Amino acid sequence: FCLMAVPGKVAAFRLPPLPTVGEIIKLFRLKAQKQLSQNFLLDLRLTDKIVRQAGELKNAHVCEVGPGPGGITRSILSAGVEQLLLIEKDARFIPGLQMLSEAAPGKVRVVHGDILTYKMEKAFPKHLKKNWEDEPPDIHIIGNLPFSVSTPLIIKWLENVSKKDGPFIYGRTQMTLTFQKEVAERLTANPGGKQRSRLSIMSQHLCTVENCFVIPGQAFVPKPEVDVAVVRFTPLVQPKIQQPFELVEKVVQSVFQFRRKYCFRGIETLFPESGRLKRTEQLMMTANVDPTLRPFQLSMSQFRNLCNTYRKMCDEDPGLFVYNYREELRQKKMMRNLQKSSSQRNQSEEEDQL
C-alpha cells in the first residue's frame, strides 16, 4: 500500500497498479462454474456501492466470503480496512487473491476453505470483542454469495446470532451479503406480503434486516437468470422471540409447511397423531392465534406467542420436542407397505394351494 497525501484530508489508501479483475480472469483462465452457481461482478462502481452499504470500514476488520476473482476485495481494501480475511473454497481463485495480498502487505489473509465449516470464533483479534448490549464491534462480514450456498449459510449464521457464537462471539457483528432478489424479498417481507416465509421470521426475530439495493443480472458475468439484491443484517440486542433457535425454527417450519392452507394445518404437525386435534386447539387458544389465518398473515408477536406456548407444552411433556411429523409419516408408509406385501404373499399362497 502507498499513502496518497491529500491536502486538508485524511490520507487514503490506494492499491498499487494491478491487472484489472477482467485481466486476472483471463490471466488465470478463470471461468464461472455453473454447478457452483458462480457469477462474477466486474463493475468496480457496483462493488464500491456494495462496500459502502456496510458502513464505515476505515481501520475495521473484515471477512469477505467467496471473493472469487477479487472485485469486491479491491473495494474493501480501498475503504482503508485494518485487516481483511478472505475465505475462498475454489482453489482456482487463490493465485489471483495472493496477488492482491502481496499488493497490500500485512493487510490480507487468504484462506483456502469452506465458509460453512470454517471456525469463525478465531477469525479476529480478541481485543475487538464487545458486550452484546454495546454498539456492534468493528468487524464486518461481506460477500457476493453463490446462490447455492446463500440460504443454508444465512440460516447457519442466524443460529450463531441466537447462540452468540461463531462470528458473533465478538458481539453484534454486521453482515452485508448478496442474495437472489426473491430470497432478499423473503428475508425482508412484512406480514401479509406474498414473500413472507420461514426466512422472514427467522431473520427478523434476530436481526434488523435491510434490503439495500438491487443489482440487475446483466451486471454479472455470466449473467444469471435473476436479479441480485444486497441485504444488510445487524443483530438485535434482544431477539423478538426469546426461545432457543431449534424451537423457534421447528415451530416456524411447521407453520409454513402448508403455506396456502389455514395456519392450524401446519401447527397440527407439531403433535403426534394421538391427541393431535386437542393439543392443536390448546396451543392456538393459549397463544391467542386465529386458526383460520394463513401462515404469511401471522405477525411476529403471534409467532412469539406460539413459540412460548409450545415451549410450556414441551416442558410439561419432555418427549414432545423430539416428535417428528415426517418420521411418523415415513413409519406409517413402511407399515402400509409391509401389510400390503404380507397380504399379497398370503394371496399367492392361497392361489398355490388352490
Side-chain angles (χ1 to χ4, degrees):
F1 265 100
C2 52
L3 283 168
M4 306 290 286
V6 180
K9 289 188 180 178
V10 179
F13 284 109
R14 290 286 181 272
L15 278 166
L18 282 167
T20 65
V21 181
E23 285 166 349
I24 280 184
I25 288 170
K26 283 180 186 168
L27 180 67
F28 294 105
R29 294 179 181 161
L30 303 173
K31 192 178 179 185
Q33 294 196 352
K34 198 171 182 181
Q35 65 268 33
L36 298 177
S37 61
Q38 291 174 337
N39 302 96
F40 305 149
L41 191 55
L42 309 185
D43 187 335
L44 292 182
R45 289 168 303 177
L46 283 171
T47 59
D48 285 347
K49 191 176 178 184
I50 291 171
V51 170
R52 280 198 299 275
Q53 296 302 323
E56 179 53 62
L57 294 186
K58 187 152 182 63
N59 301 324
H61 287 246
V62 176
C63 170
E64 187 189 353
V65 184
I72 293 176
T73 314
R74 295 177 187 226
S75 295
I76 295 170
L77 287 170
S78 298
V81 297
E82 179 71 23
Q83 285 286 329
L84 175 56
L85 168 65
L86 304 175
I87 301 174
E88 178 53 65
K89 185 179 179 182
D90 192 333
R92 298 173 306 143
F93 296 117
I94 301 298
L97 297 173
Q98 293 288 8
M99 187 186 286
L100 274 175
S101 175
E102 287 159 18
K107 290 248 176 212
V108 181
R109 185 155 58 102
V110 181
V111 172
H112 178 213
D114 187 343
I115 189 63
L116 286 166
T117 54
Y118 184 75
K119 301 287 182 206
M120 293 288 280
E121 291 86 349
K122 297 175 182 173
F124 306 104
K126 285 181 183 174
H127 73 265
L128 295 171
K129 279 189 181 182
K130 288 205 177 180
N131 293 325
W132 195 260
E133 297 73 27
D134 295 342
E135 286 297 300
D138 221 359
I139 295 172
H140 293 262
I141 297 171
I142 298 175
N144 173 30
L145 305 176
F147 296 156
S148 58
V149 81
S150 61
T151 302
L153 185 55
I154 197 59
I155 289 291
K156 173 181 159 51
W157 276 337
L158 289 169
E159 184 171 1
N160 290 145
V161 171
S162 175
K163 295 176 179 175
K164 299 177 186 172
D165 61 11
F168 307 97
I169 205 164
Y170 302 92
R172 295 185 299 121
T173 300
Q174 296 174 89
M175 303 183 284
T176 307
L177 307 166
T178 62
F179 295 88
Q180 285 184 39
K181 187 182 168 202
E182 187 183 302
V183 175
E185 286 168 353
R186 280 186 216 150
L187 286 162
T188 55
N190 293 318
K194 278 197 303 183
Q195 297 288 4
R196 186 79 162 171
S197 67
R198 173 181 73 119
L199 272 181
S200 320
I201 311 301
M202 297 310 294
S203 56
Q204 291 171 36
H205 105 84
L206 290 163
C207 299
T208 300
V209 192
E210 303 163 78
N211 195 337
C212 302
F213 67 97
V214 174
I215 305 172
Q218 61 257 35
F220 292 85
V221 179
K223 175 181 174 291
E225 291 174 11
V226 292
D227 292 338
V228 172
V230 177
V231 182
R232 188 175 181 208
F233 301 81
T234 307
L236 295 164
V237 173
Q238 287 285 356
K240 291 178 182 171
I241 304 171
Q242 294 192 33
Q243 293 294 347
F245 183 86
E246 292 83 359
L247 185 139
V248 179
E249 188 173 41
K250 186 177 183 185
V251 171
V252 173
Q253 260 183 333
S254 297
V255 171
F256 279 102
Q257 193 158 194
F258 302 103
R259 183 183 166 75
R260 297 182 187 282
K261 298 189 176 177
Y262 293 142
C263 64
F264 81 84
R265 181 68 191 87
I267 289 167
E268 282 183 328
T269 65
L270 289 167
F271 304 108
E273 194 170 21
S274 58
R276 178 173 288 159
L277 197 60
K278 188 181 174 187
R279 285 172 131 181
T280 302
E281 284 175 3
Q282 181 193 341
L283 173 57
M284 303 215 71
M285 280 180 71
T286 311
N288 193 25
V289 173
D290 179 349
T292 62
L293 287 172
R294 310 284 177 186
F296 57 86
Q297 293 176 307
L298 297 185
S299 67
M300 189 64 77
S301 62
Q302 287 171 318
F303 272 106
R304 184 193 306 124
N305 292 349
L306 287 169
C307 291
N308 291 344
T309 308
Y310 179 65
R311 171 65 185 270
K312 284 180 189 165
M313 295 172 85
C314 289
D315 289 344
E316 289 163 11
D317 176 4
L320 181 57
F321 185 69
V322 294
Y323 166 71
N324 185 311
Y325 174 71
R326 290 184 183 279
E327 181 60 25
E328 187 179 69
L329 284 182
R330 198 176 69 81
Q331 293 285 353
K332 282 170 75 175
K333 190 178 177 183
M334 276 175 62
M335 286 300 295
R336 278 199 307 271
N337 289 341
L338 280 170
Q339 288 167 356
K340 191 178 174 184
S341 60
S342 174
S343 66
Q344 284 172 344
R345 221 176 17 252
N346 291 340
Q347 192 179 347
S348 63
E349 283 170 6
E350 286 170 16
E351 286 169 356
D352 288 346
Q353 287 170 359
L354 285 167

